[in-house]
Amino acid sequence: MALNVTLRMFRYRPDQSARYDMFKVTVPDAANVLDAIEQAWAQHDRALMFRHACHHASCGTCAVRVNGREVLPCIVPVKKYLDGDKPLTIEPLKNFSLVGDLVVDVANFFQKQAASGLVITRPTENKLEGKPIAYDQGLDPASVETVPFNRFENCIECGICLSACPTMAASVKFFGPASLAALERELDKTTDPQRRARLLELADDEQGVWRCHSAWECTETCPQNVRPAEAIMALRRRIFAQRFGFGK
Amino acid sequence: MSVPHVLIIGAGSTGSATAHDLALRGLRVTVVERGEIASGTTGRNHCLLHSGGRYCVNDQEGAIECIEENLILRRIMPHVLEMNDGLFVALDDEDYAFKEQFLAGCAECRIPAREIQVAQALKIEPFLNPRIKAAVQVPDGVFEPWRFCVSFLATAKKNGATIRNFAEVQDLIFQGNAIAGAKIFDQRTGKTESIGADLIVNATGAWAGMVAAMAKADVPVAPTAGVMVAIGKRFNNMVINRMHKPHDGDIVVPIRNTSIIGTTSWRVTQPDAIEIPQDQIDKMIEAGQLLMPILKKGVQRGVMAVARPLIASANVDARDFSRTFEAFNHRKQGGAAGIITISGGKTTTARGMAEKVSDVVCAELGIHAECKTKTTPLISYREFYN
């Protein structure tokens, strides 16, 4: 089975006014929206700019808005949106500056992520048991040591929560849900008092947790169940506790 | 003499690692990539940091490269790896009979491997098929393909390299019989420009034949597609492999909260937008469920296919092409001067591929500079955006 679908694609270049192009593509029944975008590129317009890499919700590069809502098109089926002949509107994320077509400038976002300092691997919190052998000490079996399993952080830095965030829309200087969530994760991990103080300072900044209007759009739209809104609330409790010596 | 300028085409794992290697050796480096970083074969990767176990019986050259690079990557880019090892499990008598060969292969390739009791394996991985007959632990791991490349590029950039994505090579510029640069279409501006280069590295993987053709050269790259199915749940800590000669659907790679079942292997004529036959998907899911029956309960998150840039050998089935790599200096094969193609290999061996092609580049340019990538830790991928 194949699906015929029309994409109403946002087109933009810095020296041109934005417009929408209509692309008719045919994709397999089980195709995800990213496959349809790639077909539009392959069959219709090789100048179409879009970001993609892993196609399984790991890299976070492909995030766009489909019919106005932020999604990772690599894991959302085309079928979900089919409604007669109605086209799917594909647009870039909001609250980022535009580079071209679906591509936005993520530099500012990654600078904030870097400021949070969150390392993307951590010992697992999974309930599976067992301890593997680590071989990274070299090939000598006598040197192996026992370490716990590790995992990548759930956040894939896709930028969806920034796009959906009304506070971000009001001020792009806001530290933003993903990076605040990263601060909370990092605070959870680190015991170094100086580092903790520095992280709390970032959260307590005028562009930090107090700007959040608690719209909870971040938690609502996050494809990875990171729950940034809850993290922001946890950071507020931490700041209170530090200032007044109560709570967590 | 001024510092030579090397233009690398392609920002997948090979091009990214090569940019890092050459920048460290002090060359002027520019990378052009037609789309996003890692948007070709590297992105749609199984994410498996190979121990070499998969190839230790049938392709020992490929297996040795894997374990050597595996141990190096653990040192230079630990921040983009999940290092939880892997298990090779025997499901039936035939697999069990293969065990001695497998362990001997691991030993010959110096892959640290140890057999563990079935009961212990099931305790570590409770969702394994309980009927397994044997289990061997090896140092497999998992990497993040996009961050893998961006880490190399961030470090290259810090060392002076220029990285331009959304810049597609339209043609190569000849000066007599030598290539002197490339004509680039910059997608951001819609403008075409020429970039001069003392040497070009064709690191376009499965697309290498197309770029080589612009140099009127030929490379024996055989785009070989593989399909992978992502399941939206994670049931294993370690990579689970079936202990036999590589087959379809014989590996489950966990990454973050996802499981990726893979993979198949078939030759394709062109590597863009590959069509995925449904029977390949069904066959693979079925085989994956033999390893871990619980995969039935996971929701399919996505299916992806991409072409590996394998080096073809005559009279060999695509599944059995070696996973090793090769650098081709086209001048020495009677073709144009000024372009080197690097192809074959795997993301796991990208650093090694970069070392090999960088050695060829330096020899061609008459430069004496040692490779330093084995011991140079990469900076965070986030610094790419500084």
Short mmCIF file of all heavy atoms in Angstrom, two decimals, chain A residues 178-205:
data_model
loop_
_atom_site.label_atom_id
_atom_site.label_comp_id
_atom_site.label_asym_id
_atom_site.label_seq_id
_atom_site.Cartn_x
_atom_site.Cartn_y
_atom_site.Cartn_z
N ALA A 178 14.51 23.29 28.06
CA ALA A 178 15.47 22.19 27.94
C ALA A 178 16.70 22.45 28.79
O ALA A 178 17.16 21.55 29.52
CB ALA A 178 15.89 22.00 26.48
N SER A 179 17.21 23.67 28.74
CA SER A 179 18.45 23.95 29.45
C SER A 179 18.21 24.04 30.96
O SER A 179 19.09 23.69 31.75
CB SER A 179 19.08 25.23 28.92
OG SER A 179 19.28 25.12 27.52
N LEU A 180 17.03 24.48 31.37
CA LEU A 180 16.70 24.47 32.80
C LEU A 180 16.57 23.02 33.28
O LEU A 180 17.06 22.67 34.36
CB LEU A 180 15.42 25.27 33.06
CG LEU A 180 15.58 26.80 32.92
CD1 LEU A 180 14.22 27.48 32.97
CD2 LEU A 180 16.51 27.38 34.00
N ALA A 181 15.94 22.19 32.46
CA ALA A 181 15.84 20.77 32.82
C ALA A 181 17.24 20.16 32.93
O ALA A 181 17.50 19.33 33.80
CB ALA A 181 15.00 20.01 31.79
N ALA A 182 18.14 20.60 32.04
CA ALA A 182 19.52 20.09 32.08
C ALA A 182 20.20 20.52 33.38
O ALA A 182 20.93 19.73 34.00
CB ALA A 182 20.30 20.61 30.88
N LEU A 183 19.93 21.76 33.82
CA LEU A 183 20.49 22.23 35.10
C LEU A 183 20.02 21.34 36.25
O LEU A 183 20.81 20.95 37.12
CB LEU A 183 20.03 23.67 35.39
CG LEU A 183 20.69 24.81 34.64
CD1 LEU A 183 20.09 26.14 35.12
CD2 LEU A 183 22.19 24.82 34.86
N GLU A 184 18.74 21.02 36.24
CA GLU A 184 18.19 20.19 37.30
C GLU A 184 18.82 18.80 37.30
O GLU A 184 19.19 18.26 38.34
CB GLU A 184 16.66 20.11 37.15
CG GLU A 184 15.95 19.10 38.04
CD GLU A 184 16.12 19.35 39.54
OE1 GLU A 184 16.46 20.48 39.94
OE2 GLU A 184 15.93 18.38 40.32
N ARG A 185 19.00 18.23 36.11
CA ARG A 185 19.63 16.91 36.01
C ARG A 185 21.07 16.97 36.53
O ARG A 185 21.52 16.07 37.22
CB ARG A 185 19.66 16.44 34.54
CG ARG A 185 18.32 16.10 33.96
CD ARG A 185 17.72 14.87 34.54
NE ARG A 185 18.25 13.64 33.98
CZ ARG A 185 17.93 12.43 34.44
NH1 ARG A 185 17.10 12.30 35.46
NH2 ARG A 185 18.44 11.35 33.88
N GLU A 186 21.75 18.04 36.17
CA GLU A 186 23.15 18.17 36.55
C GLU A 186 23.26 18.38 38.07
O GLU A 186 24.14 17.83 38.72
CB GLU A 186 23.78 19.34 35.76
CG GLU A 186 25.27 19.46 35.85
CD GLU A 186 26.06 18.23 35.37
OE1 GLU A 186 25.49 17.38 34.65
OE2 GLU A 186 27.24 18.12 35.74
N LEU A 187 22.33 19.15 38.63
CA LEU A 187 22.32 19.37 40.09
C LEU A 187 22.08 18.05 40.82
O LEU A 187 22.59 17.81 41.91
CB LEU A 187 21.22 20.37 40.46
CG LEU A 187 21.65 21.83 40.43
CD1 LEU A 187 20.43 22.74 40.40
CD2 LEU A 187 22.52 22.15 41.66
N ASP A 188 21.27 17.22 40.18
CA ASP A 188 20.94 15.93 40.74
C ASP A 188 22.18 15.03 40.78
O ASP A 188 22.28 14.12 41.59
CB ASP A 188 19.85 15.30 39.88
CG ASP A 188 19.09 14.24 40.62
OD1 ASP A 188 18.85 14.43 41.83
OD2 ASP A 188 18.74 13.22 40.00
N LYS A 189 23.10 15.29 39.86
CA LYS A 189 24.26 14.43 39.67
C LYS A 189 25.48 14.86 40.48
O LYS A 189 26.23 14.05 40.96
CB LYS A 189 24.64 14.48 38.18
CG LYS A 189 24.55 13.16 37.48
CD LYS A 189 25.30 13.11 36.16
CE LYS A 189 24.80 13.89 35.01
NZ LYS A 189 25.27 13.38 33.72
N THR A 190 25.67 16.19 40.55
CA THR A 190 26.95 16.66 41.06
C THR A 190 26.90 16.94 42.56
O THR A 190 25.88 17.39 43.09
CB THR A 190 27.43 17.91 40.29
OG1 THR A 190 28.67 18.32 40.82
CG2 THR A 190 26.46 19.06 40.40
N THR A 191 28.00 16.66 43.23
CA THR A 191 28.05 16.91 44.68
C THR A 191 28.99 18.06 45.01
O THR A 191 29.00 18.54 46.13
CB THR A 191 28.53 15.65 45.44
OG1 THR A 191 29.73 15.18 44.81
CG2 THR A 191 27.48 14.54 45.40
N ASP A 192 29.77 18.49 44.02
CA ASP A 192 30.73 19.58 44.23
C ASP A 192 30.00 20.87 44.61
O ASP A 192 29.21 21.40 43.82
CB ASP A 192 31.56 19.76 42.95
CG ASP A 192 32.46 20.99 43.03
OD1 ASP A 192 32.82 21.38 44.15
OD2 ASP A 192 32.77 21.56 41.97
N PRO A 193 30.22 21.40 45.84
CA PRO A 193 29.45 22.56 46.30
C PRO A 193 29.60 23.79 45.41
O PRO A 193 28.63 24.52 45.18
CB PRO A 193 30.00 22.83 47.71
CG PRO A 193 31.08 21.87 47.96
CD PRO A 193 31.18 20.92 46.82
N GLN A 194 30.81 24.01 44.90
CA GLN A 194 31.02 25.20 44.06
C GLN A 194 30.23 25.10 42.76
O GLN A 194 29.63 26.07 42.30
CB GLN A 194 32.51 25.34 43.75
CG GLN A 194 33.22 26.14 44.80
CD GLN A 194 34.66 26.41 44.44
OE1 GLN A 194 35.28 25.61 43.74
NE2 GLN A 194 35.19 27.51 44.91
N ARG A 195 30.28 23.90 42.19
CA ARG A 195 29.56 23.68 40.93
C ARG A 195 28.05 23.80 41.16
O ARG A 195 27.33 24.39 40.36
CB ARG A 195 29.94 22.30 40.39
CG ARG A 195 29.16 21.85 39.21
CD ARG A 195 30.03 21.23 38.11
NE ARG A 195 29.20 20.89 36.97
CZ ARG A 195 28.77 21.77 36.08
NH1 ARG A 195 29.11 23.03 36.16
NH2 ARG A 195 27.99 21.40 35.09
N ARG A 196 27.60 23.26 42.28
CA ARG A 196 26.17 23.34 42.60
C ARG A 196 25.74 24.80 42.75
O ARG A 196 24.69 25.20 42.24
CB ARG A 196 25.87 22.57 43.90
CG ARG A 196 26.01 21.08 43.77
CD ARG A 196 25.73 20.38 45.11
NE ARG A 196 24.34 20.56 45.51
CZ ARG A 196 23.35 19.78 45.08
NH1 ARG A 196 23.60 18.78 44.26
NH2 ARG A 196 22.12 20.01 45.45
N ALA A 197 26.58 25.57 43.40
CA ALA A 197 26.25 26.99 43.60
C ALA A 197 26.15 27.71 42.26
O ALA A 197 25.24 28.51 42.01
CB ALA A 197 27.30 27.65 44.48
N ARG A 198 27.08 27.38 41.37
CA ARG A 198 27.10 28.01 40.04
C ARG A 198 25.85 27.64 39.24
O ARG A 198 25.24 28.49 38.58
CB ARG A 198 28.38 27.55 39.31
CG ARG A 198 28.49 27.98 37.87
CD ARG A 198 28.80 29.46 37.71
NE ARG A 198 28.55 29.91 36.35
CZ ARG A 198 27.69 30.87 36.02
NH1 ARG A 198 26.99 31.50 36.95
NH2 ARG A 198 27.53 31.22 34.77
N LEU A 199 25.44 26.38 39.33
CA LEU A 199 24.26 25.91 38.59
C LEU A 199 22.99 26.58 39.14
O LEU A 199 22.11 27.01 38.39
CB LEU A 199 24.14 24.38 38.69
CG LEU A 199 25.22 23.57 37.97
CD1 LEU A 199 25.17 22.10 38.37
CD2 LEU A 199 25.07 23.69 36.45
N LEU A 200 22.92 26.67 40.47
CA LEU A 200 21.75 27.30 41.08
C LEU A 200 21.68 28.78 40.71
O LEU A 200 20.59 29.34 40.51
CB LEU A 200 21.79 27.15 42.60
CG LEU A 200 21.14 25.89 43.16
CD1 LEU A 200 21.25 25.86 44.68
CD2 LEU A 200 19.67 25.78 42.74
N GLU A 201 22.83 29.39 40.62
CA GLU A 201 22.90 30.80 40.23
C GLU A 201 22.32 31.00 38.82
O GLU A 201 21.58 31.95 38.58
CB GLU A 201 24.38 31.20 40.24
CG GLU A 201 24.67 32.65 40.53
CD GLU A 201 26.18 32.84 40.60
OE1 GLU A 201 26.81 32.40 41.59
OE2 GLU A 201 26.73 33.38 39.62
N LEU A 202 22.68 30.09 37.93
CA LEU A 202 22.13 30.15 36.56
C LEU A 202 20.61 30.01 36.57
O LEU A 202 19.89 30.73 35.87
CB LEU A 202 22.71 29.02 35.71
CG LEU A 202 24.00 29.29 34.93
CD1 LEU A 202 24.51 27.99 34.33
CD2 LEU A 202 23.73 30.30 33.81
N ALA A 203 20.12 29.09 37.40
CA ALA A 203 18.67 28.86 37.47
C ALA A 203 17.96 30.06 38.08
O ALA A 203 16.85 30.41 37.69
CB ALA A 203 18.39 27.60 38.29
N ASP A 204 18.65 30.71 39.02
CA ASP A 204 18.06 31.82 39.77
C ASP A 204 18.23 33.16 39.05
O ASP A 204 17.77 34.20 39.51
CB ASP A 204 18.75 31.87 41.16
CG ASP A 204 17.94 32.66 42.18
OD1 ASP A 204 16.75 32.94 41.90
OD2 ASP A 204 18.50 33.02 43.23
N ASP A 205 18.86 33.13 37.90
CA ASP A 205 19.11 34.33 37.10
C ASP A 205 17.78 34.96 36.66
O ASP A 205 16.74 34.30 36.65
CB ASP A 205 19.94 33.92 35.87
CG ASP A 205 20.37 35.10 35.02
OD1 ASP A 205 21.43 35.66 35.34
OD2 ASP A 205 19.65 35.46 34.07
#
